[in-house]
Amino acid sequence: MRSLIVVVLLACADPALAQRTMLVKTPAQYQKALSKAGAGDTIVLANGVWRDVELEFRGNGRAGKPITLTAQTPGRVVFSGRSSLRLSGSHLVVSNLVFRDGYSPRGEVLSFRRAPGDDAVDTRVTGIVIDGFNKPSSEELDYWVGLYGRRNRFDHGHLTGKTNKGPTLAVVRDDGQRNDHRIDHNFFGPRPDLGVNGGETIRVGTSHHADSASHTTVDHNWFEHCDGEAEIVSNKSGANIYRGNVFFESQGALVLRHGDDALVEGNVFLGGGKPRTGGVRVINRGQTVRHNYMEGLAGEGFFSALSIMYGVPNSPAIRYVQVDGAVVERNTIINARSIVFGLGMDKERTAPPINSRLASNLIVNLDGADPVRVNGDAGGIAMDGNLRDPKTPLKRGGNGLIEAADGPDLGAGPLTVVDRASTGVPWYGKDPGPPVRSDRGG
């Protein structure tokens, strides 16, 4: 028995079984370390500028023992020139890297895929900065982050200054598979108007697989001056959740463009009177929009604070599916220029919203103007208990948002607003923040 115990102890002490931390200073050293890395090991990139490096990070960790790639010091490992990072395998973690002063020679700056069919799963990328990492021509398309695979998380990133075509972050579903990704606590900084379609900040799916469910959650992100195009967030797959995000002075809207059964709840849209600032646009079936707060949104038409669209009869997924079964309830909309029921009605879009409900919303313009416009037939939207009286007593709560001072149970209620400082990374500066009081979102 004693000899058995000794053998076991010696095996546990075997250096080959210990978790390793490997500091590497060159791409060649990195490749050598990667070939040795196993579950629980960490590869540390030495501080400095890694120029013209197209890195692949591949391997298979285990739950609770990922393989980690990180910076020696957060923010002091900078990829520049023609650089990119591709991931494949399972249970990987990447953290604390910066992409700046260059562009990716590939279709993505950071990709959760090494090659078609070789995706990352159960992988987390956290604390990544991509700042102005644009292709030389604005007409060249890429994604800064391409989310492939399943059960991946992209969080606490700082992405700002994209000027060329393509979403800042895209969930790509080549086979229409269920994804279960999470995109959370990221800071999406200014993105100028691209002038054409293709300037979304986030796109979840594409029209080609819009009839299938992604189950992606986008929560507690901060979108600031994201003006790329009319769709700040473009939902193009089913059963996704958009919760607790803040849209600050961003031109465009969260658009349920394709796919059914989305949930949009607890988001805050602050327009500050800036032109073309919008809220939520509803298309397709089974969409739920509830407990959202919108203030000072000056957009009209497709940039409205709230719009429910007309659809194309028997529409394919790639066009405009008729709104059916939408629930829009308990939202607060203050000082909006435009709310449209029946948006987009024309010779092709002739199918009005049906089987839908608009209930217990608080809609107030303090100047007494009525923002609501109804085009065509709104008989398929049941109106129940909404309040649009400009004389309604209001108060501004401790979170900086307006709510009814007393009276009926209306509007979004007291929301917890994600703190701007808790999004992105603490070690990479943001411009001075907006004067929004908020409670920490986690």
Side-chain angles (χ1 to χ4, degrees):
M1 178 64 71
R2 182 179 178 184
S3 62
L4 177 60
I5 293 173
V6 171
V7 169
V8 171
L9 290 174
L10 288 174
C12 291
D14 185 349
L17 300 178
Q19 295 180 13
R20 294 166 292 187
T21 298
M22 296 170 278
L23 177 66
V24 298
K25 298 180 179 180
T26 66
Q29 290 180 4
Y30 168 78
Q31 291 297 336
K32 186 175 180 180
L34 183 64
S35 68
K36 299 177 181 179
D41 290 344
T42 298
I43 300 175
V44 179
L45 301 180
N47 292 343
V49 176
W50 292 63
R51 186 172 181 82
D52 298 329
V53 177
E54 297 182 58
L55 217 60
E56 294 182 7
F57 182 43
R58 59 192 184 278
N60 291 289
R62 297 199 302 270
K65 288 190 175 182
I67 305 173
T68 298
L69 174 66
T70 192
Q72 184 178 12
T73 303
R76 292 183 61 187
V77 171
V78 179
F79 286 89
S80 70
R82 293 165 57 88
S83 295
S84 65
L85 175 60
R86 290 179 289 165
L87 318 176
S88 69
S90 62
H91 298 289
L92 307 175
V93 174
V94 179
S95 65
N96 299 330
L97 308 176
V98 177
F99 290 83
R100 190 177 61 213
D101 301 324
Y103 65 95
S104 171
R106 300 184 176 275
E108 298 99 356
V109 177
L110 189 154
S111 177
F112 285 71
R113 163 183 285 183
R114 191 187 66 83
D118 190 7
D119 299 343
V121 299
D122 297 305
T123 287
R124 181 184 183 189
V125 176
T126 182
I128 297 298
V129 172
I130 307 178
D131 185 353
F133 210 69
N134 295 301
K135 290 186 179 294
S137 169
S138 64
E139 294 299 312
E140 292 186 79
L141 183 148
D142 69 354
Y143 312 147
W144 275 5
V145 178
L147 255 175
Y148 299 85
R150 303 180 305 282
R151 299 182 302 277
N152 294 317
R153 182 182 180 193
F154 184 83
D155 66 281
H156 292 90
H158 180 119
L159 281 63
T160 186
K162 193 174 197 298
T163 58
N164 64 304
K165 279 186 178 180
T168 305
L169 184 153
V171 174
V172 187
R173 309 174 62 240
D174 288 342
D175 57 1
Q177 69 180 357
R178 177 169 177 156
N179 303 114
D180 293 292
H181 296 317
R182 186 181 180 196
I183 302 161
D184 67 285
H185 291 91
N186 298 289
F187 176 81
F188 294 98
R191 180 170 188 182
D193 184 1
L194 189 62
V196 295
N197 195 31
E200 307 99 325
T201 297
I202 291 181
R203 191 190 72 209
V204 182
T206 63
S207 57
H208 302 293
H209 299 290
D211 287 337
S212 59
S214 174
H215 292 276
T216 289
T217 298
V218 179
D219 69 285
H220 298 96
N221 301 283
W222 190 286
F223 300 82
E224 186 167 310
H225 299 161
C226 293
D227 302 339
E229 62 144 273
E231 300 180 16
I232 305 167
V233 174
S234 183
N235 181 80
K236 292 189 173 181
S237 51
N240 298 315
I241 297 172
Y242 303 93
R243 176 183 289 133
N245 303 287
V246 173
F247 297 80
F248 181 77
E249 294 183 358
S250 291
Q251 295 181 332
L254 191 166
V255 180
L256 305 179
R257 183 64 185 88
H258 300 307
D260 302 331
D261 303 316
L263 173 61
V264 181
E265 75 172 355
N267 302 285
V268 175
F269 300 80
L270 302 172
K274 179 179 173 179
R276 303 205 307 170
T277 48
V280 181
R281 181 162 22 123
V282 179
I283 315 165
N284 299 284
R285 300 168 289 242
Q287 317 289 33
T288 299
V289 180
R290 67 189 183 199
H291 294 275
N292 300 285
Y293 181 89
M294 308 173 189
E295 183 181 353
L297 301 178
E300 299 180 89
F302 286 89
F303 296 83
S304 294
L306 173 67
S307 59
I308 299 177
M309 289 199 67
Y310 255 58
V312 175
N314 303 311
S315 176
I318 62 173
R319 290 300 298 140
Y320 286 85
V321 174
Q322 181 181 25
V323 173
D324 186 352
V327 175
V328 181
E329 62 183 4
R330 293 294 307 273
N331 301 286
T332 296
I333 307 177
I334 305 293
N335 294 337
R337 182 173 300 243
S338 176
I339 296 170
V340 184
F341 305 129
L343 178 68
M345 182 179 63
D346 59 17
K347 291 181 179 179
E348 182 192 22
R349 292 182 292 238
T350 60
I354 59 174
N355 305 316
S356 298
R357 182 163 60 93
L358 188 80
S360 302
N361 297 284
L362 176 63
I363 302 171
V364 176
N365 277 12
L366 299 180
D367 63 2
D370 187 354
V372 176
R373 305 288 181 267
V374 178
N375 297 329
D377 179 10
I381 306 174
M383 309 282 184
D384 181 24
N386 302 289
L387 183 62
R388 292 162 55 187
D389 185 354
K391 297 180 182 179
T392 302
L394 303 172
K395 65 179 181 179
R396 196 173 288 276
N399 59 2
L401 308 182
I402 292 173
E403 58 190 73
D406 51 39
D409 193 16
L410 288 168
L415 297 179
T416 298
V417 184
V418 65
D419 185 5
R420 181 178 185 264
S422 72
T423 63
V425 296
W427 42 262
Y428 200 88
K430 304 181 180 79
D431 291 333
V436 180
R437 296 185 301 275
S438 57
D439 298 322
R440 196 167 191 78

